[in-house]
């Protein structure tokens, strides 16, 4: 029976091509715009940490004085980060920040290129589930005894070493040799949850060097630096000893007991620093807190309020399209009333008439949904080329290819229920008299 309804629907669409085209275009525009906004929202609101979201905690300290900013700073001072690195409560922990270096190799055909570099501890890779293609991370002892080692990403390995196993090869960062100990597989979580302070939709770095090299190499900071009082910065040592915040610190805690013990450790750190004259804002009840990945995504407003407003506006536009479709369908179906009257007279039930017209509406919705997906894809590609948007923002999530046709079919059928209900109430006697 369903195939028969499909055949009737196709015949009806072909019989009124212009009206059917108008309905398909209307629903495709509504679906296309809705899908664009939903796709951007879905990419930005995803939690890449998954089940580990509650175990990974970012540390925030209230180091600033009174009458400064109103919320915790997501970045720490060097002295606080170094103190937390000495703790033993977390299962894993990592301090980190972003810098940049000119990258070269022994191959003279490859020109030097500036690359973003993540300066961090060895636990970073296990905490954030970074996959390895070759080799592994540097030994944990390097976190205390610095060595010139580097982990590179697959894309950089393909470019510099033609994709072969480059572990043991030498890479030059600002002309200084670093030995490659590992090559990561393709990895770039979106949002980039391990560092939301330098752009949540930025790609992950392709170079990772030990944090312990920081005092020796005096890495530049390619990120935010917060300061709440004037402090002279004549040397790198001045920066490390100052109240300037520029480091992220993450801890992995597997149980509530560990989280409580870590909070106690943070409180003890604050107490010791207050005795040294720091953490001077006495109006606070707590100077230290931790936030899991989900809370940090909310704290950094990864999904801006404007995006939610755009979704609401796009849904309203879809509703307007559906109202227009409802009117077109009502006109089309009522023109078919004599034909339906004859069918009712020879035995077709109201349920069969209703189902037949809903199938036709569903077909129009499916065609409109498919066309809407193409609109959305083309519009995102245009925006990507025109405004140089991040690839993640313009890539249609795989689930969208299922969600879009579903929304189109369901919304079209909802809009078509009233016209189908009107036409199935046709009285056969009225049209039999007129024949």
């Amino acid at each position: 029976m369903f195939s028969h309804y499909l055949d009737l629907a196709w015949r009806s669409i072909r019989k009124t091509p212009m009206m059917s085209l108008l309905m398909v275009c209307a629903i495709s525009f509504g679906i296309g715009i809705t899908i664009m906004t939903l796709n951007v929202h879905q990419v930005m609101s995803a939690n890449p940490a998954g089940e580990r979201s509650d175990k990974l905690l970012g540390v925030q300290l209230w180091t600033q004085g009174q009458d400064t900013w109103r919320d915790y700073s997501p970045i720490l001072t060097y002295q606080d980060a170094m103190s937390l690195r000495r703790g033993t409560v977390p299962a894993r922990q990592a301090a980190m920040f972003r810098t940049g270096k000119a990258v070269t190799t022994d191959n003279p055909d490859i020109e030097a290129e500036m690359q973003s570099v993540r300066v961090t501890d060895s636990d970073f890779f296990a905490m954030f589930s970074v996959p390895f293609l070759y080799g592994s991370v540097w030994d944990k002892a390097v976190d205390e005894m610095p060595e010139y080692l580097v982990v590179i990403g697959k894309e950089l390995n393909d470019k510099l070493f033609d994709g072969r196993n480059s572990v043991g090869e030498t890479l030059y960062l600002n002309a200084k040799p670093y030995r490659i100990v590992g090559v990561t597989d393709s990895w770039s979580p979106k949002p980039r949850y391990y560092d939301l302070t330098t752009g949540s939709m930025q790609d992950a770095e392709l170079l990772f060097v030990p944090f312990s090299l920081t005092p020796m190499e005096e890495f530049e900071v390619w990120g935010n630096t917060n300061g709440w009082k004037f402090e002279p910065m004549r040397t790198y040592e001045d920066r490390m000893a100052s109240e300037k915040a520029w480091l992220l610190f993450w801890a992995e805690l597997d149980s509530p007991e560990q989280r409580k013990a870590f909070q106690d450790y943070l409180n003890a750190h604050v107490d010791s620093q207050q005795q040294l004259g720091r953490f001077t804002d006495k109006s606070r009840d707590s100077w230290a807190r931790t936030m899991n990945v989900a809370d940090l995504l909310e704290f950094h407003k990864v999904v801006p309020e404007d995006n939610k407003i755009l979704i609401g506006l796009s849904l309203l536009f879809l509703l307007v399209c559906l109202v227009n479709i409802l009117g077109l369908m009502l006109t089309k179906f009522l023109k078919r009333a004599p034909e339906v009257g004859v069918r009712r007279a020879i035995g077709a039930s109201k349920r069969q008439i209703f189902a037949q017209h809903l199938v036709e509406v569903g077909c129009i919705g499916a065609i409109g949904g498919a066309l809407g997906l193409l609109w959305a894809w083309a519009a995102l590609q245009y925006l990507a080329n025109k405004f140089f948007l991040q690839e993640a923002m313009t890539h249609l999530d795989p689930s969208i290819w299922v969600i879009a046709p579903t929304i189109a079919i369901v919304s079209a059928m909802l809009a078509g229920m009233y016209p189908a209900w009107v036409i199935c109430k046709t009285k056969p006697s009225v049209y039999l008299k007129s024949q």
Side-chain angles (χ1 to χ4, degrees):
M1 185 63 74
F2 181 71
S3 59
H4 177 60
Y5 289 161
L6 282 178
D7 181 59
L8 291 177
W10 180 240
R11 289 171 186 269
S12 175
I13 291 172
R14 291 178 59 187
K15 191 174 180 180
T16 53
M18 289 306 297
M19 189 170 288
S20 299
L21 181 63
L22 283 175
M23 288 189 284
V24 167
C25 287
I27 198 166
S28 68
F29 290 148
I31 289 294
I33 292 175
T34 303
I35 291 306
M36 281 178 58
T37 54
L38 282 177
N39 186 70
V40 173
H41 181 271
Q42 184 159 337
V43 170
M44 299 183 74
S45 62
N47 185 344
E51 296 178 351
R52 295 172 57 78
S53 176
D54 290 333
K55 295 182 178 180
L56 300 176
L57 303 176
V59 177
Q60 298 181 352
L61 299 175
W62 190 278
T63 59
Q64 60 267 34
Q66 287 184 321
D67 301 326
T68 54
W69 46 84
R70 296 182 178 179
D71 210 340
Y72 285 85
S73 171
I75 46 182
L76 309 182
T77 66
Y78 182 81
Q79 51 186 323
D80 287 323
M82 290 301 291
S83 178
L84 297 182
R85 284 177 84 233
R86 290 190 285 272
T88 57
V89 177
R92 298 187 182 98
Q93 57 189 2
M96 68 179 80
F97 65 100
R98 190 168 71 114
T99 186
K101 294 285 185 183
V103 183
T104 55
T105 66
D106 291 323
N107 186 347
D109 295 332
I110 297 178
E111 297 182 355
E113 180 182 353
M114 288 299 294
Q115 282 280 347
S116 180
V117 180
R118 178 66 43 180
V119 184
T120 187
D121 290 310
S122 59
D123 281 347
F124 171 89
F125 301 88
M127 291 174 70
F128 298 103
S129 305
V130 184
F132 273 85
L133 190 61
Y134 304 118
S136 63
V137 65
W138 55 81
D139 191 83
K140 197 168 180 59
V142 178
D143 292 337
E144 303 300 329
M145 301 295 292
E147 294 184 41
Y148 286 90
L149 307 176
V150 62
V151 171
I152 68 175
K154 178 180 182 298
E155 293 78 2
L156 193 60
N157 187 64
D158 292 343
K159 186 175 183 180
L160 301 181
F161 300 101
D162 297 325
R164 70 176 186 275
N165 185 353
S166 61
V167 173
E169 301 268 6
T170 299
L171 194 69
Y172 297 91
L173 301 181
N174 282 10
K176 185 161 288 187
Y178 284 72
R179 181 165 58 86
I180 299 173
V181 294
V183 179
T184 65
D185 206 345
S186 297
W187 177 77
S188 188
K190 295 291 184 306
R192 194 178 61 176
Y193 64 107
Y194 62 83
D195 185 358
L196 297 169
T197 64
T198 54
S200 59
M201 290 298 154
Q202 295 285 332
D203 292 331
E205 293 81 3
L206 298 175
L207 290 162
F208 302 86
V209 299
F211 183 85
S212 54
L213 287 170
T214 303
M216 298 166 56
E217 288 303 306
E218 300 184 352
F219 296 121
E220 292 181 24
V221 179
W222 281 21
N224 298 327
T225 297
N226 289 344
W228 58 276
K229 66 178 181 179
F230 173 75
E231 293 174 287
M233 293 289 168
R234 299 185 182 87
T235 65
Y236 205 79
E237 285 76 12
D238 289 341
R239 167 180 277 273
M240 292 191 293
S242 72
E243 291 294 338
K244 294 286 188 292
W246 45 287
L247 293 158
L248 291 162
F249 190 88
W250 284 87
E252 181 178 339
L253 302 163
D254 295 329
S255 64
E257 292 76 17
Q258 273 192 333
R259 284 195 284 275
K260 182 179 183 309
F262 188 61
Q263 185 64 48
D264 292 340
Y265 178 80
L266 293 176
N267 294 337
H269 167 72
V270 171
D271 291 341
S272 67
Q273 295 302 302
Q274 284 181 332
Q275 293 175 13
L276 298 174
R278 302 181 64 225
F279 293 84
T280 55
D281 188 357
K282 302 299 182 182
S283 64
R284 304 295 305 176
D285 295 327
S286 173
W287 288 265
R289 75 177 184 186
T290 57
M291 300 183 79
N292 63 24
V293 176
D295 292 338
L296 279 171
L297 292 173
E298 182 70 24
F299 177 78
H300 286 279
K301 295 182 172 54
V302 172
V303 182
E305 197 64 28
D306 293 350
N307 185 263
K308 298 175 183 176
I309 295 174
L310 281 176
I311 290 178
L313 291 175
S314 66
L315 290 175
L316 282 176
F317 181 75
L318 177 61
L319 182 62
V320 171
C321 293
L322 293 177
V323 169
N324 282 283
I325 291 171
L326 188 150
L328 290 170
M329 286 180 182
L330 193 58
T331 303
K332 180 179 180 179
F333 290 172
L334 287 178
K335 284 183 178 177
R336 205 185 297 164
E339 174 190 337
V340 173
V342 173
R343 289 193 58 202
R344 290 274 292 117
I346 60 178
S349 66
K350 289 183 179 179
R351 179 181 298 179
Q352 290 172 326
I353 299 295
F354 186 78
Q356 174 200 331
H357 287 83
L358 274 191
V359 169
E360 181 177 340
V361 171
C363 290
I364 291 173
I367 298 171
L371 190 59
L373 268 174
L374 292 178
W375 290 132
W377 177 81
L380 288 172
Q381 297 305 309
Y382 173 77
L383 292 174
N385 296 327
K386 185 74 175 178
F387 300 106
F388 304 103
L389 298 180
Q390 299 290 325
E391 183 181 356
M393 299 287 292
T394 58
H395 176 72
L396 279 178
D397 190 88
S399 61
I400 293 294
W401 295 92
V402 178
I403 293 173
T406 303
I407 293 176
I409 294 171
V410 171
S411 55
M413 291 181 73
L414 287 175
M417 288 183 77
Y418 176 71
W421 177 69
V422 170
I423 195 63
C424 77
K425 290 198 314 174
T426 299
K427 295 180 179 178
S429 57
V430 174
Y431 297 99
L432 289 177
K433 289 179 181 176
S434 63
Q435 293 298 316

